[in-house]
Amino acid sequence: MACRGSGVRIPSAPPESNGPVSARKPGRSIAGRSAMTDDVFDFEAIQARWLPVWDELAPFRSGRADDPRPKRYVLDMFPYPSGDLHMGHAEAYALGDVIARYWAQRGFNVMHPIGWDAFGLPAENAAIKRGADPRAWTYENIATQRASMRRYACSFDWDRTLNTCDPEYYRWNQWFFLEMFKRGLAYRKASSVNWCPTDQTVLANEQVVNGLCERCDSVVTKKKLTQWYLRITDYADRLLDDMQQLEGKWPEKVLLMQRNWIGRSSGAEVHFQVEGRDEPVTVYTTRPDTLFGATFFVVAVDSDLAAELAAGTAAEEEFRAYLEQAKGETDIERLASDRPKTGVFLERYAINPVNGERLPIYAADYVLSDYGTGAIMAVPCGDQRDLDFARVFNLPVVNVIASDEDPAETGVAVNGDGVHINSDFLNGMGKAQAVATMTEWLEERGLGRAAKNYRLRDWLISRQRYWGTPIPIVHCPDCGEVAVPAEQLPVTLPDAQGLDLTPKGSSPLGAADDWANVPCPQCGQPSRRDPDTMDTFVDSSWYYLRYIDSRNQQAAFDPELVRQWFPVDQYVGGVTHAILHLLYSRFFTKVMHDMGLVDAVEPFERLLNQGMVQMDGSAMSKSRGNLVRLSDELALHGVDAIRLALVFAGPPEDDIDWADVSAAGSKKFLARAWRLSGEVQAPIGADAAAGDVELRRATARALHDAALAVESYRFNVAVAKTMELVNATRKCIDSGAGAADPAVRAAVEAVAIMLSLVAPYTAEDMWARLGHAPSVALAGWPEVDPTLLIDDTVTCIVQISGKVRGKLEVPVGISAEALQALALVDADVQRSLAGRGVKTVVVRAPKLVNIVPEG
RNA sequence: GCCCUUGUGGCGGAAUUGGCAGACGCGGCGGACUCAAAAUCCGUUGUCGCAAGACGUGUGGGUUCGAGUCCCACCGAGGGCACCA
């Protein structure tokens, strides 16, 4: 069976000097010395053999203070403990592990932590459904995932784990919140907020996708509520400008999405007098140059200004009805495209500051109350929305940008650059000059000024749910909002026992009187705790800092340790978090920088977004019936084969269709590689330089190429290079220098080390069979002799008019003249030239000659 | 509608950035071993053609001695943004 040809010997067990290792090898020490047992790749036995060894050796512990190796922080997005790990986790963690293990092999002190994002709605909802305690349910799931992760054998430092639902963790959420509160970065305000009727809680803007709740797809409605916010808008410019240093290190797509989300625009504020009102009304516009084209004025229907302007006018009743109607609309309805414009004339007029024209004021729902000032000057010739509105209400259109088409006729606004007309002192100017001139004109007269605006809103963090971090504020009838003193932190969650967790629009914590009733920390009179909990994105906005010092009882982390490890060198996770989590984390990092806690201003040096794992073209899910269970696949093919299959399937950023992946093929390759380790006959330390030079070249090339591939995220290519080396070694043993050649040992050792990035069990077993002590994970990436990367001779391609017509084997150092001469006398070339003369010859020595014939 | 990304064998995907297209693997085909199968191993596999050869990287044009790679136009797929004044 497995014995092929001659020269196959029975491989010996690892030397006894390995002590604890050989003692742990079932089947090998007892009856396992037959060729049959030793030459069969038994992944279950291999997994069972090495897991306990690794537990003991802990090769990836990163906390030693005296570690002289340079640091590298590799971070995987931590999982949500909603059940066992699935295929998506398997891919993400396999990819992150390749990077972490590679840098460990390269001699870095790699910190590769893992923890659990353990607070949040899914856990709570699942708990409600089963009548279980969310706490018990969460910790059970964490235990399950933890066991799965251990078996999945990522290079995690198990000394650093954290759960965000532990009081020792969320205590520091509360501490940060209070630090922000002190600095005016956390504040409470009444505002119209997004409300999910299913989850019965408010949502941040970022959690509303196309008018639907990001988690449950319910249609989101609006509610006027007083809630806690974090002042992320204070950091808008820095969040935007600091992205320059991420250029080329983060996916362009993510940077673009963040830029769009922040949505900075520049223009001007313009003050308009309103008849019958003392104070002018200010509007924001990106096109102050089109002020002469303003023919009416619009205020957001749900703004305070609209109500004020309507009060006491003949239009008041109509306005009220319109407001009611607008309030009842969901974002879905409001944002529907090609929806006709609606509005109400308020019987009031604003005065255009540049020409004194009276502009009728309308209330409309197409103007947003929370962007800019909630009021706009309407320029129908240049703005499509204003033009649409003008056409519905028969308002005049004044063209201020020269164009062949008349917007009033065509219904298409002219919104680009162009020569200004009908614009008095701007006539004849282009856009840029006109904007500058008008802004200056306004500033000189106190009628306006240059201004910037953002799409980004402050981050609403209150949630009316149980399973989260309590907001550490006490509401006192006299003192108002009072911070819980730092020494009283954490404010722990009350027991869920006896609380009604079903969503009902107010926080379950508010009903826990024993918990909620406290004396005011300032004046001592009876007060109540804030009943809301924090958005779980607060938890994940700084967990990567806590890992650095996760057992610290005195502080969130030691700034000195953070100085050593921060920022994260490589972050790996799904693109689904391109806006929310990454934006919030960047914000937190900047706040902490301002607090003097961290040096860095950006948390994540490099970012890799892995794709999703699908099945038959769509996302795996139980309801679709196309769910591939990770645990089944692991049992069938083994951990290494699944990891290898996922890494080899394609570029990490691309989606993987499990239907296109061959786990069986991966297993076959691993067995093939593993078998080599039993055939090596040269002793440890044999001088490879004395071995077969072709195999030595192949080994050097493979190590070199695989390293380059890993460093540029082309992990699939790194695997292919490993496969090539296995093939070359196989060939060398079977039909070349033979198994005793020292180059064979060097090649197989290189295979084990390269394989250790993707298939740690197989690699470790190979390493032991080669006679080495564990762990292969820290064996070190072999030095490559650069002279082996350069061949003595190369194949020179001879082209005629760009088509390959001949090949020459030439020395690498050949001169262009010699090569040209050689090419021209080549028999194949002469035949193809068929007597035609030579016009020009392009020589790129030593690899290419291109001959251009005459005619 | 606007912006971005992308298009290579039956399939997943390679190609030192302008220099042998299809590395590596899956699948297929042929063979060895086997009573047989599985496993394993060897060979083969872009298309057309018996062959020499011709044609081939979504389509059409262009630049170049030479284009998967650069430029223009179009077509298809995926993603982001979408009343943000």
Side-chain angles (χ1 to χ4, degrees):
Chain A
M1 42 157 291
C3 295
R4 97 190 49 79
S6 57
V8 175
R9 58 152 210 163
I10 298 165
S12 62
E16 291 308 310
S17 63
N18 282 344
V21 176
S22 42
R24 284 172 196 280
K25 292 191 167 185
R28 180 173 289 263
S29 47
I30 310 164
R33 300 235 169 180
S34 72
M36 192 164 276
T37 311
D38 260 4
D39 226 19
V40 168
F41 180 70
D42 178 352
F43 69 81
E44 279 172 335
I46 292 173
Q47 286 174 201
R49 188 176 303 151
W50 294 109
L51 208 41
V53 177
W54 293 337
D55 284 346
E56 202 172 296
L57 285 176
F60 301 109
R61 196 169 282 156
S62 53
R64 280 202 345 262
D66 59 343
D67 201 320
R69 297 174 296 173
K71 75 95 185 183
R72 197 128 304 187
Y73 186 173
V74 179
L75 180 68
D76 292 297
M77 288 184 184
F78 63 168
Y80 207 96
S82 54
D84 201 352
L85 299 179
H86 53 68
M87 243 353 147
H89 293 119
E91 191 207 357
Y93 294 129
L95 296 172
D97 208 36
V98 172
I99 297 174
R101 286 175 175 271
Y102 173 76
W103 289 116
Q105 292 286 24
R106 281 293 186 174
F108 286 82
N109 182 15
V110 173
M111 177 163 96
H112 188 203
I114 191 71
W116 279 271
D117 189 13
F119 266 142
L121 277 179
E124 190 176 351
N125 288 342
I128 291 163
K129 214 187 262 175
R130 299 161 192 223
D133 180 2
R135 190 184 319 260
W137 186 90
T138 300
Y139 281 104
E140 266 168 45
N141 283 337
I142 290 174
T144 303
Q145 290 198 351
R146 193 189 181 92
S148 296
M149 277 184 170
R150 172 177 167 267
R151 189 170 71 130
Y152 199 61
C154 288
S155 57
F156 294 132
D157 181 347
W158 291 101
D159 291 350
R160 297 180 182 275
T161 52
L162 59 83
N163 307 313
T164 58
C165 63
D166 290 343
E168 303 83 67
Y169 184 85
Y170 68 73
R171 160 184 190 168
W172 303 109
N173 275 350
Q174 295 173 338
W175 184 78
F176 278 123
F177 175 87
L178 291 177
E179 288 295 314
M180 291 193 187
F181 181 60
K182 267 189 225 163
R183 288 167 170 76
L185 291 172
Y187 68 99
R188 223 156 72 111
K189 75 169 176 193
S191 174
S192 172
V193 299
N194 301 305
W195 178 262
C196 173
T198 303
D199 291 334
Q200 290 280 306
T201 186
V202 297
L203 299 170
N205 276 335
E206 289 80 0
Q207 287 163 332
V208 181
V209 179
N210 292 327
L212 301 178
C213 171
E214 175 213 26
R215 338 200 78 98
C216 67
D217 282 349
S218 306
V219 175
V220 171
T221 58
K222 293 279 178 185
K223 244 191 179 184
K224 194 111 177 176
L225 285 174
T226 301
Q227 301 277 297
W228 285 98
Y229 292 81
L230 298 184
R231 216 178 284 279
I232 192 171
T233 51
D234 270 15
Y235 286 76
D237 279 327
R238 285 164 68 185
L239 287 167
L240 204 54
D241 296 338
D242 288 349
M243 265 189 270
Q244 273 175 4
Q245 66 193 72
L246 304 176
E247 211 73 56
K249 301 177 185 172
W250 280 33
E252 197 47 50
K253 188 173 140 185
V254 173
L255 294 175
L256 187 73
M257 283 166 75
Q258 296 234 340
R259 280 196 189 98
N260 287 342
W261 188 262
I262 297 166
R264 179 165 67 192
S265 70
S266 57
E269 283 176 353
V270 185
H271 310 308
F272 284 74
Q273 293 297 332
V274 171
E275 290 179 2
R277 192 179 195 265
D278 294 338
E279 288 292 306
V281 172
T282 301
V283 304
Y284 172 74
T285 175
T286 56
R287 294 297 301 269
D289 58 312
T290 61
L291 201 40
F292 285 99
T295 56
F296 57 104
F297 196 94
V298 189
V299 294
V301 59
D302 54 339
S303 64
D304 295 341
L305 180 63
E308 180 212 308
L309 292 176
T313 69
E316 186 168 7
E317 203 170 313
E318 196 190 345
F319 166 75
R320 284 242 176 83
Y322 180 60
L323 176 61
E324 281 315 306
Q325 178 203 323
K327 268 187 183 166
E329 279 167 359
T330 62
D331 272 8
I332 294 268
E333 290 158 350
R334 200 176 59 81
L335 295 178
S337 55
D338 66 11
R339 178 168 168 269
K341 291 278 181 287
T342 57
V344 172
F345 175 46
L346 296 181
E347 310 279 345
R348 304 280 298 256
Y349 292 88
I351 306 301
N352 189 336
V354 292
N355 56 16
E357 296 268 344
R358 292 176 86 216
L359 308 178
I361 301 177
Y362 286 77
D365 63 357
Y366 84 91
V367 170
L368 307 175
S369 58
D370 59 350
Y371 183 80
T373 59
I376 63 155
M377 62 180 217
V379 182
C381 74
D383 185 286
Q384 193 59 50
R385 296 155 299 181
D386 296 344
L387 182 60
D388 293 343
F389 191 88
R391 284 157 68 93
V392 171
F393 289 86
N394 276 319
L395 292 158
V397 178
V398 174
N399 296 333
V400 290
I401 307 287
S403 167
D404 298 338
E405 309 281 318
D406 179 4
E409 299 291 326
T410 62
V412 179
V414 179
N415 58 14
D417 202 346
V419 176
H420 284 61
I421 53 171
N422 300 324
S423 295
D424 197 331
F425 56 90
L426 300 180
N427 284 339
M429 293 181 186
K431 178 179 161 184
Q433 193 194 356
V435 169
T437 306
M438 176 59 90
T439 306
E440 201 179 316
W441 189 91
L442 290 167
E443 273 172 4
E444 278 168 6
R445 287 158 184 75
L447 294 170
R449 60 188 179 95
K452 283 187 290 189
N453 235 310
Y454 305 88
R455 214 182 76 113
L456 182 71
R457 304 293 143 80
D458 277 341
W459 175 12
L460 196 174
I461 60 156
S462 309
R463 294 293 180 275
Q464 287 71 48
R465 295 302 293 256
Y466 169 75
W467 194 231
T469 305
I471 292 175
I473 292 286
V474 173
H475 297 281
C476 170
D478 287 342
C479 312
E481 297 152 359
V482 181
V484 172
E487 63 274 12
Q488 286 176 29
L489 297 181
V491 177
T492 52
L493 277 173
D495 211 321
Q497 205 76 42
L499 289 182
D500 179 13
L501 299 184
T502 36
K504 54 195 175 300
S506 61
S507 172
L509 295 184
D513 286 336
D514 289 351
W515 177 86
N517 287 327
V518 287
C520 168
Q522 259 171 38
C523 70
Q525 72 165 308
S527 304
R528 282 184 73 84
R529 290 191 187 283
D530 195 290
D532 289 349
T533 52
M534 296 183 200
D535 182 1
T536 56
F537 277 104
V538 173
D539 311 349
S540 53
S541 291
W542 68 282
Y543 75 109
Y544 46 90
L545 285 162
R546 181 67 180 174
Y547 278 141
I548 294 171
D549 196 11
S550 61
R551 301 290 176 262
N552 195 329
Q553 300 285 320
Q554 267 64 55
F557 49 78
D558 174 2
E560 194 43 50
L561 279 175
V562 165
R563 209 155 281 137
Q564 286 171 35
W565 285 105
F566 199 57
V568 172
D569 295 286
Q570 177 67 61
Y571 199 17
V572 180
V575 73
T576 40
H577 295 104
I579 299 174
L580 294 132
H581 164 60
L582 292 172
L583 191 70
Y584 296 150
S585 295
R586 297 180 60 225
F587 165 56
F588 259 60
T589 298
K590 289 174 200 308
V591 172
M592 290 191 198
H593 174 85
D594 292 351
M595 289 167 66
L597 292 174
V598 306
D599 291 343
V601 294
E602 285 292 334
F604 312 124
E605 190 69 17
R606 298 178 69 91
L607 174 67
L608 173 63
N609 286 135
Q610 91 278 358
M612 292 184 306
V613 184
Q614 307 182 324
M615 185 64 189
D616 295 323
S618 56
M620 286 187 190
S621 74
K622 241 181 260 172
S623 56
R624 275 204 186 81
N626 65 351
L627 190 74
V628 179
R629 285 187 42 166
L630 175 62
S631 54
D632 294 347
E633 298 298 307
L634 291 175
L636 198 58
H637 303 287
V639 170
D640 283 356
I642 298 307
R643 290 173 54 136
L644 180 75
L646 288 167
V647 171
F648 185 55
E653 304 89 344
D654 291 3
D655 291 344
I656 294 174
D657 200 314
W658 191 249
D660 297 330
V661 170
S662 173
S666 295
K667 189 163 65 177
K668 199 164 90 179
F669 163 70
L670 289 173
R672 192 170 140 84
W674 179 88
R675 241 178 281 118
L676 292 175
S677 66
E679 295 178 47
V680 168
Q681 288 175 2
I684 291 184
D687 184 14
D692 180 71
V693 73
E694 280 311 308
L695 186 58
R696 290 175 63 215
R697 284 218 166 93
T699 306
R701 175 62 57 197
L703 285 165
H704 176 81
D705 290 356
L708 276 181
V710 169
E711 289 185 34
S712 52
Y713 297 149
R714 286 142 56 235
F715 310 127
N716 54 328
V717 178
V719 171
K721 299 296 175 188
T722 313
M723 289 172 166
E724 283 181 348
L725 182 55
V726 167
N727 292 343
T729 310
R730 180 80 266 152
K731 198 164 245 167
C732 182
I733 292 176
D734 290 347
S735 54
D741 192 285
V744 169
R745 166 168 279 275
V748 179
E749 289 183 348
V751 168
I753 289 165
M754 288 191 275
L755 221 42
S756 77
L757 312 187
V758 192
Y761 290 106
T762 307
E764 194 72 88
D765 212 60
M766 289 177 70
W767 199 239
R769 280 158 63 91
L770 287 163
H772 294 290
S775 168
V776 68
L778 300 179
W781 198 261
E783 284 294 320
V784 172
D785 176 357
T787 61
L788 289 174
L789 295 176
I790 303 157
D791 293 325
D792 299 336
T793 62
V794 294
T795 307
C796 175
I797 302 305
V798 184
Q799 300 177 331
I800 292 174
S801 300
K803 290 180 195 259
V804 182
R805 279 300 119 92
K807 296 182 184 183
L808 300 168
E809 204 61 24
V810 297
V812 270
I814 192 167
S815 71
E817 295 74 26
L819 187 58
Q820 175 169 345
L822 218 55
L824 286 171
V825 299
D826 183 77
D828 287 335
V829 172
Q830 283 302 322
R831 189 166 48 83
S832 300
L833 275 175
R836 284 176 295 176
V838 173
K839 196 163 98 189
T840 36
V841 181
V842 180
V843 183
R844 293 282 177 275
K847 285 168 91 173
L848 182 122
V849 176
N850 190 17
I851 299 163
V852 186
E854 281 171 339

